[in-house]
């Protein structure tokens, strides 16, 4: 029967696995690589665009600031070059300046109190009261007014707590401190309800501060410009002044509305430190003009940020655009890529599957035929094996059928031979059984004979060995006894000589003792003389001392004598001690010598007696040698005979064992043959031939 | 000054050579049998008899065991304490070394104690062999009545 095959092992499964999987992996890799490249390209391009746009916006704001500053400078320069004090003329200029440009909200000039000496004159021809401040001070302020016929109205400047300090006191203080005429751009603040930024330039006459000239710009105006720029950029803008106040922003979150390009008035003129963008702006101040990605503190959305510094006024421009909006185009391209790849993959799978199913059907056909042959069914007909097509799988099916036919012929022949072989093997088995029984009986009797002979042989050999060892022992003993006797005689002689030498040494030691005593007595005599000499020298020294200077020479002699006497005394003492030690040694030596002599004499007697006993032992051993020799000869010849018998028996037993083994081998082979024939018959019976079917 | 040194007990003493007439080995003497413990008897020096005094008894309180190195120092006393001996006595000392040059008036010397009965003990100095004290031998037997009247204390075996 066809076994069921797991899908991943089947032809279809394999072709899908080897074809589609690599293709899928390749497609995914290509798409991923393309997507990554498109993404990084888009990111780089976006950053470049953002950086460029930020630079443009910065330049535009800078230009506008520069224009305002130039205007204020122009007013101040006019005053300094002859207009100062000519109030009516100045008013005309101011009015024209205020009306000249849409971006200007107001233009003004303020003199120091009675700076031109014309305060007392008050309002007169050409100078209305609206241009004068307190005490007739020249204080005109032209501001834009839609209701007026001329488009502007004139009123005196108002000094508010914050405003006056910003536009008058601070520029004055700054000029007096530095002596340089510089424009001051104030922070955004509310002047009489209008949020403005002022650009103020001091008027200087011969190095003295005489007043100020200023131009006002409303925050609304700045805001409009920013809105226009932001609309062009498609991004939000934050414009922050040098003092970290927000001049304008296109972000609409400040007033609660979510409109991105709203007016955002609530945020205007607030300190950045009070807004959520404080940390972000601090970060921006540390960066260059390269855009970076950060989270918006309000929306928590990932955004690109870019920043730039406006040189005039030191304002900072911060541009923000969300990453999601910027990358929307890239995502669409990526999605299209993916869909195309997927479609391609589906087509590949379909084509592969169609081819694999056709081949698999033919292979299954061949498999069914092979299974029948394997189970022994050789009865299939040619019609069953016919298949259409000419590919390898069809060829395989036809070859299987040819093989089936051939096998059927071989099996018929084998069956006939098997029957003949079975009969022969049964006869062989019976014959070998009989032969094996006969050989076994012969082997057993031979083995028992061999055992008996071996035992006899061993006993004889053992006896011979015992006799030989007794003989050898007797010979060794006799030799040792003879040698011992000879050595003992030599020892005896040497001992006699040693005795004589010892006596001589003892005599000499006695002489040494006497001589030592003589030396002792001489040493005593020397000691006495030395003592006398010492005494004599002391007395001589005393006498020399008494003789005074005359005895000095003699004193030296006396000392020398005493030194010699002392040396003599020491030397004689040494000699005395040595002689005493010598005497003690000699006495000890004499004692030892006499004891040794006595022991030696005793030893000599024992040696002589031992020698006599050894001589008698040697003679008795010699007598027993003859009888040992006879016994040994007899035993040797007997042992040789037994050995020959044993060898013969062993040869016979070995022959019997070989016959028995051969008979056993033969029997085993006959049995194996019978078994093999039976197996062969079984195997042949398994096959079902066409003739069996017909029967 | 030139001095002879001797060892009594474990102390070293010096004798001024100027006071010494002669040094003799230990010679046979006739025992006194009476008198102070330091008086051993009479010796014969070339025909002149003179008393033999044991220095150890005076200085150390123990008598000297005679040996080969023992010496008799003959000296003249200022006064004739023993009638008929012409002011000479023999002083038995355990041994004699010298003469040596020693300065008992040097800076490091100790002048000696002035107790009653110690007028014969002179100043002490330290030399290469340890401390040595000068004996004024002529005063050994004079000027100190207590010395002459010492009771007889002969050592007797138990």
């Amino acid at each position: 029967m066809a076994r069921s095959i797991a899908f991943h092992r089947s032809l279809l499964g394999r072709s899908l696995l080897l074809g589609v999987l690599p293709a899928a992996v390749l497609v995914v890799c290509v798409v991923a690589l393309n997507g990554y490249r498109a993404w990084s390209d888009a990111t780089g391009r976006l950053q470049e665009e953002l950086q460029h746009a930020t630079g443009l916006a910065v330049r535009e704001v800078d230009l506008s600031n520069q224009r305002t500053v130039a205007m204020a400078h122009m007013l101040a320069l006019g005053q300094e070059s002859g207009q100062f004090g000519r109030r009516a003329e100045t008013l005309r200029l101011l009015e024209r300046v205020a009306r000249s440009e849409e971006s200007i909200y107001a233009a003004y000039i303020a003199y120091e109190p009675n700076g031109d000496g014309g305060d007392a004159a008050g309002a007169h021809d050409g100078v209305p009261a609206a241009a004068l401040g307190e005490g007739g001070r020249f204080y005109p302020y032209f501001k834009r007014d839609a209701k007026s016929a001329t488009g502007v109205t004139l009123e005196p400047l108002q000094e508010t707590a914050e405003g006056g300090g910003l536009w008058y006191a601070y520029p004055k203080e700054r000029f007096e401190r530095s002596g340089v005429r510089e424009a001051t751009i104030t922070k955004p603040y509310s002047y009489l309800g209008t949020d403005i930024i002022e650009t103020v330039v001091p008027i200087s006459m011969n190095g003295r501060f005489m007043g100020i000239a200023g131009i006002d710009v409303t925050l609304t105006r700045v805001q409009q410009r920013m809105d226009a720029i932001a609309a062009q950029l498609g991004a939000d803008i934050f414009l922050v002044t040098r003092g970290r106040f927000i001049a304008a922003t296109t972000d609409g979150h400040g007033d609660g509305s979510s409109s991105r390009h709203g007016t955002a008035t609530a945020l205007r003129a607030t300190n950045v430190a009070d807004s959520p963008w404080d940390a972000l702006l601090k970060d921006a101040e540390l960066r260059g003009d390269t855009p970076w990605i950060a989270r918006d503190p309000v929306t928590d959305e990932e955004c690109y940020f870019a920043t730039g510094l406006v040189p005039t006024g030191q304002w900072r421009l911060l541009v923000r655009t969300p990453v999601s909006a910027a990358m929307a185009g890239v995502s669409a391209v990526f999605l299209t890529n993916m869909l195309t790849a997927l479609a391609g993959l589906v087509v590949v799978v379909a084509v592969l599957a169609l081819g694999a199913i056709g081949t698999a059907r033919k292979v299954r056909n061949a498999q069914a035929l092979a299974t029948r042959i394997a189970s022994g069914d050789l009865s299939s007909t040619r019609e069953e094996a016919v298949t259409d097509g000419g590919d390898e799988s069809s060829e395989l099916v036809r070859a299987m059928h040819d093989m089936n036919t051939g096998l059927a012929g071989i099996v018929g022949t084998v069956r006939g031979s098997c029957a003949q072989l079975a009969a022969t093997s049964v006869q062989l088995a019976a014959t070998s059984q009989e032969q094996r029984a006969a050989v076994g009986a012969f082997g057993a009797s031979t083995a028992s004979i061999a055992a008996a002979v071996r035992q006899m042989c061993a006993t004889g050999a053992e006896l011979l060995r015992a006799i030989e060892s007794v003989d050898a022992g007797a010979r060794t003993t006799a030799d040792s006894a003879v040698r011992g006797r000879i050595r003992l005689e030599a020892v005896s002689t040497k001992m006699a000589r040693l005795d004589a030498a010892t006596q001589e040494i003892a005599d000499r030691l006695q002489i040494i003792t006497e001589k030592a005593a003589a030396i002792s007595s001489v040493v005593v005599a020397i000691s006495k003389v030395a003592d006398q000499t010492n005494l004599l020298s002391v007395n001589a020294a005393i006498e020399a001392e008494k003789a005074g200077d005359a005895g000095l020479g003699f004193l030296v002699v006396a000392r020398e004598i005493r030194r010699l006497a002392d040396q003599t005394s020491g030397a004689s003492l040494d000699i005395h001690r040595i002689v005493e030690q010598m005497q003690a040694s000699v006495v000890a030596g004499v004692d030892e010598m006499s004891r040794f002599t006595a022991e030696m004499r005793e030893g000599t007697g024992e040696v002589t007696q031992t020698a006599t006993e050894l001589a008698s032992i040697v003679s008795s051993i010699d007598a027993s040698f003859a009888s040992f020799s006879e016994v040994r000869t007899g035993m040797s010849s007997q042992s040789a005979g037994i050995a020959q018998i044993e060898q013969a028996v062993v040869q016979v037993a070995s022959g019997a064992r070989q016959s028995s083994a051969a008979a056993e081998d033969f029997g085993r082979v006959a049995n194996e043959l019978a078994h093999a024939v039976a197996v062969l018959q079984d195997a042949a019976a398994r096959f079902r031939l066409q003739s069996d079917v017909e029967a | 000054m030139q001095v002879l040194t001797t060892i009594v007990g474990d102390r070293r003493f010096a004798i001024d050579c100027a006071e010494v007439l002669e040094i003799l080995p230990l010679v046979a003497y006739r025992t006194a049998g009476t008198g102070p413990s330091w008086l051993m008897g009479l010796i014969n020096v070339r025909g002149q008899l003179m008393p033999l005094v044991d220095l150890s008894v005076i200085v150390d309180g123990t008598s000297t065991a005679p040996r080969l190195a023992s010496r008799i120092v003959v000296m003249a006393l200022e006064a004739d304490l023993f009638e008929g001996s012409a002011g000479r006595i023999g002083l038995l000392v355990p041994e004699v070394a010298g003469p040596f040059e020693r300065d008992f008036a040097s800076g490091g010397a100790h002048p000696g104690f002035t107790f009653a009965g110690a007028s014969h003990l002179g100043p002490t100095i330290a030399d290469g062999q340890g401390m040595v004290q000068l004996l004024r031998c002529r005063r050994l037997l004079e000027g100190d009545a207590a010395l002459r009247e010492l009771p007889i204390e002969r050592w007797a075996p138990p």
Side-chain angles (χ1 to χ4, degrees):
Chain A
M1 287 308 293
R3 283 179 297 140
S4 65
I5 297 167
F7 178 74
H8 69 276
R9 289 183 187 280
S10 70
L11 266 177
L12 183 60
R14 282 276 163 90
S15 58
L16 288 181
L17 197 69
L18 298 177
V20 174
L21 198 63
V25 169
L26 202 66
V27 166
V28 167
C29 284
V30 166
V31 168
L33 207 65
N34 263 349
Y36 172 72
R37 201 176 319 141
W39 188 275
S40 59
D41 280 357
T43 313
R45 209 160 48 238
L46 206 75
Q47 289 193 355
E48 269 173 35
E49 278 170 12
L50 196 62
Q51 188 177 338
H52 184 65
T54 308
L56 284 179
V58 164
R59 208 168 312 141
E60 197 166 335
V61 174
D62 188 43
L63 274 176
S64 144
N65 278 4
Q66 272 180 9
R67 203 157 53 236
T68 315
V69 169
M71 206 78 83
H73 265 292
M74 188 206 73
L75 285 176
L77 282 172
Q79 291 297 308
E80 287 168 11
S81 7
Q83 257 188 357
F84 190 73
R86 291 151 72 175
R87 295 186 175 192
E89 200 179 313
T90 303
L91 279 176
R92 278 197 298 280
L93 178 67
L94 262 184
E95 186 182 353
R96 290 192 66 177
V97 167
R99 286 164 58 187
S100 67
E101 278 206 44
E102 197 65 22
S103 60
I104 295 174
Y105 171 68
Y108 58 91
I109 283 181
Y111 286 179
E112 282 277 275
N114 206 18
D116 57 344
D119 282 9
H124 57 90
D125 188 31
V127 183
L132 300 179
E134 197 181 328
R137 183 183 181 184
F138 192 54
Y139 235 37
Y141 182 75
F142 274 105
K143 75 171 182 186
R144 203 164 279 284
D145 186 1
K147 285 175 251 169
S148 162
T150 53
V152 292
T153 56
L154 175 66
E155 60 181 40
L157 280 162
Q158 306 285 318
E159 287 196 38
T160 57
E162 185 185 24
L166 272 179
W167 59 259
Y168 195 91
Y170 175 70
K172 180 183 179 184
E173 187 244 311
R174 190 174 167 204
F175 173 80
E176 283 173 348
R177 193 173 59 228
S178 65
V180 180
R181 187 158 55 71
E182 276 179 320
T184 299
I185 299 178
T186 67
K187 70 176 189 180
Y189 76 103
S190 175
Y191 177 77
L192 303 177
T194 311
D195 288 336
I196 56 164
I197 293 173
E198 306 198 35
T199 306
V200 186
V201 175
I203 301 167
S204 135
M205 303 285 284
N206 303 322
R208 267 194 340 114
F209 177 83
M210 299 306 289
I212 52 109
I215 302 287
D216 285 358
V217 177
T218 57
L219 283 192
T220 314
R221 177 75 197 165
V222 176
Q223 178 73 43
Q224 282 165 1
R225 218 158 37 228
M226 289 303 116
D227 282 346
I229 295 171
Q232 263 182 346
L233 289 181
D236 285 335
I237 292 178
F238 297 84
L239 186 61
V240 180
T241 64
R242 185 164 139 270
R244 293 172 59 78
F245 282 87
I246 297 176
T249 171
T250 60
D251 182 89
H253 299 294
D255 59 356
S257 82
S258 59
S259 104
R260 195 172 291 286
H261 303 297
T263 49
T265 47
L267 263 182
R268 280 192 343 224
T270 51
N271 194 324
V272 173
D274 301 331
S275 78
W277 285 278
D278 185 36
L280 193 67
L281 260 158
K282 276 182 183 159
D283 182 28
E285 280 159 17
L286 299 176
R287 284 177 184 269
D289 55 357
T290 316
W292 73 99
I293 293 180
R295 282 198 178 278
D296 186 277
V298 177
T299 60
D300 198 32
E301 193 179 5
E302 253 199 349
C303 297
Y304 276 112
F305 285 96
T307 184
L309 194 65
V310 179
T312 310
Q314 300 285 302
W315 292 359
R316 181 162 289 281
L317 194 76
L318 182 69
V319 178
R320 179 191 70 187
T321 179
V323 172
S324 58
M327 301 308 285
V330 181
S331 302
V333 170
F334 188 72
L335 204 64
T336 317
N337 273 358
M338 282 301 287
L339 284 176
T340 315
L342 205 65
L345 203 61
V346 168
V347 170
V348 168
V349 171
V351 170
L352 275 174
L354 275 177
I357 286 167
T359 310
R361 189 165 50 79
K362 286 172 195 163
V363 171
R364 264 203 301 277
N365 215 343
Q367 187 201 1
L369 193 57
T371 309
R372 278 176 69 181
I373 294 169
S375 67
D377 185 359
L378 302 177
S379 62
S380 64
T381 61
R382 185 164 185 80
E383 287 71 33
E384 289 172 50
V386 169
T387 57
D388 53 348
D391 65 356
E392 287 92 338
S393 49
S394 309
E395 281 300 316
L396 175 66
V397 175
R398 278 194 284 280
M400 291 295 291
H401 177 74
D402 293 348
M403 184 177 81
N404 184 29
T405 318
L407 274 175
I410 293 168
V411 167
T413 317
V414 167
R415 278 188 190 172
S417 308
C418 274
Q420 285 179 2
L421 271 175
T424 314
S425 71
V426 168
Q427 278 180 348
L428 270 177
T431 315
S432 81
Q433 190 65 36
E434 284 168 20
Q435 194 183 4
R436 209 158 55 198
V439 171
F442 179 64
S445 46
T446 316
S448 63
I449 293 169
V453 169
R454 211 176 297 128
Q455 199 166 355
M456 205 159 79
C457 184
T459 315
E462 211 170 299
L463 197 58
L464 182 61
R465 257 200 313 280
I467 286 169
E468 271 172 2
S469 78
V470 169
D471 189 13
R475 258 174 217 287
T476 314
T477 312
D479 286 353
S480 302
V482 169
R483 271 202 304 279
R485 203 180 57 203
I486 293 164
R487 278 185 199 151
L488 277 176
E489 275 163 13
V491 167
S492 185
T493 317
K494 278 176 189 163
M495 277 185 133
R497 232 182 281 156
L498 195 61
D499 190 15
T502 310
Q503 189 55 50
E504 199 174 331
I505 290 168
D507 292 350
R508 292 211 176 146
L509 283 177
Q510 188 56 43
I511 293 168
I512 289 171
T513 310
E514 284 162 14
K515 298 280 182 199
I519 291 170
S520 261
S521 65
V522 171
V523 167
V524 168
I526 291 170
S527 293
K528 281 182 180 162
V529 171
D531 191 56
Q532 287 290 333
T533 313
N534 177 277
L535 193 63
L536 195 62
S537 75
V538 171
N539 277 322
I542 291 167
E543 284 306 324
E545 166 74 16
K546 281 179 184 162
D549 290 343
L552 275 180
F554 189 65
L555 188 61
V556 174
V557 175
R559 276 184 193 151
E560 208 53 36
I561 292 170
R562 196 182 71 224
R563 202 172 54 78
L564 285 174
D566 287 346
Q567 281 178 3
T568 310
S569 181
S572 60
L573 202 63
D574 286 343
I575 293 170
H576 182 65
R577 207 171 295 131
I578 291 164
V579 168
E580 267 176 358
Q581 285 170 0
M582 199 170 79
Q583 278 176 322
S585 305
V586 166
V587 168
V590 168
D591 283 357
E592 198 63 31
M593 197 63 79
S594 56
R595 198 164 59 245
F596 174 64
T597 309
E599 280 173 9
M600 208 172 57
R601 278 184 189 137
E602 204 175 317
T604 310
E606 282 170 10
V607 165
T608 312
Q609 197 178 341
T610 311
T612 318
E613 284 167 9
L614 274 175
S616 69
I617 291 171
V618 169
S619 62
S620 60
I621 288 173
D622 280 342
S624 63
F625 273 148
S627 48
F628 272 135
S629 184
E630 278 168 26
V631 172
R632 202 177 56 211
T633 314
M635 288 304 295
S636 290
S637 60
Q638 188 188 355
S639 191
I642 291 170
Q644 279 173 1
I645 294 170
E646 191 199 6
Q647 205 155 0
V649 169
V650 165
Q651 280 171 3
V652 171
S654 157
R657 233 183 351 262
Q658 280 171 6
S659 300
S660 173
E664 259 174 45
D665 281 350
F666 186 68
R668 200 172 61 244
V669 170
N671 277 338
E672 279 170 9
L673 183 63
H675 184 68
V677 169
V679 170
L680 197 59
Q681 276 178 325
D682 278 355
R686 268 178 60 214
F687 288 99
R688 197 155 62 92
L689 302 179
Q690 191 71 34
S691 56
D692 296 339
V693 176
E694 284 157 10
Chain B
M1 65 174 73
Q2 292 284 331
V3 296
L4 298 170
T5 62
T6 183
I7 295 175
V8 180
D10 53 357
R11 288 179 290 169
R12 227 148 54 85
F13 291 96
I15 297 167
D16 188 356
C17 277
E19 292 182 324
V20 178
L21 295 177
E22 193 180 356
I23 311 288
L24 299 174
L26 182 58
V27 296
Y29 61 93
R30 178 193 164 90
T31 50
T34 181
S37 58
W38 41 261
L39 184 59
M40 296 178 75
L42 289 175
I43 52 170
N44 180 354
V45 180
R46 288 185 287 279
Q48 187 175 12
L49 300 183
M50 56 184 77
L52 180 64
V53 172
D54 190 349
L55 180 67
S56 300
V57 175
I58 298 169
V59 175
D60 203 31
T62 57
S63 59
T64 309
R67 49 196 184 104
L68 189 64
S70 296
R71 294 284 184 262
I72 294 168
V73 179
V74 179
M75 57 178 60
L77 296 181
E78 303 225 311
D80 190 4
L81 294 176
F82 304 95
E83 291 82 2
S85 63
R88 293 187 173 193
I89 62 162
L91 199 60
L92 179 65
V93 297
E95 62 180 73
V96 162
F100 306 112
E101 179 65 38
R102 293 287 184 273
D103 183 9
F104 282 90
S106 66
H110 185 264
F113 305 106
T114 51
F115 305 126
S119 62
H120 57 285
L121 294 173
T124 308
I125 60 164
D127 62 5
Q129 295 158 289
M131 284 194 275
V132 57
Q133 186 168 30
L134 184 66
L135 273 182
R136 299 192 181 101
C137 295
R138 283 175 181 167
R139 291 196 197 157
L140 276 175
L141 305 176
E142 72 176 34
D144 195 342
L147 187 64
R148 272 185 286 161
E149 289 164 12
L150 281 171
I152 298 170
E153 284 180 17
R154 287 279 176 211
W155 177 84

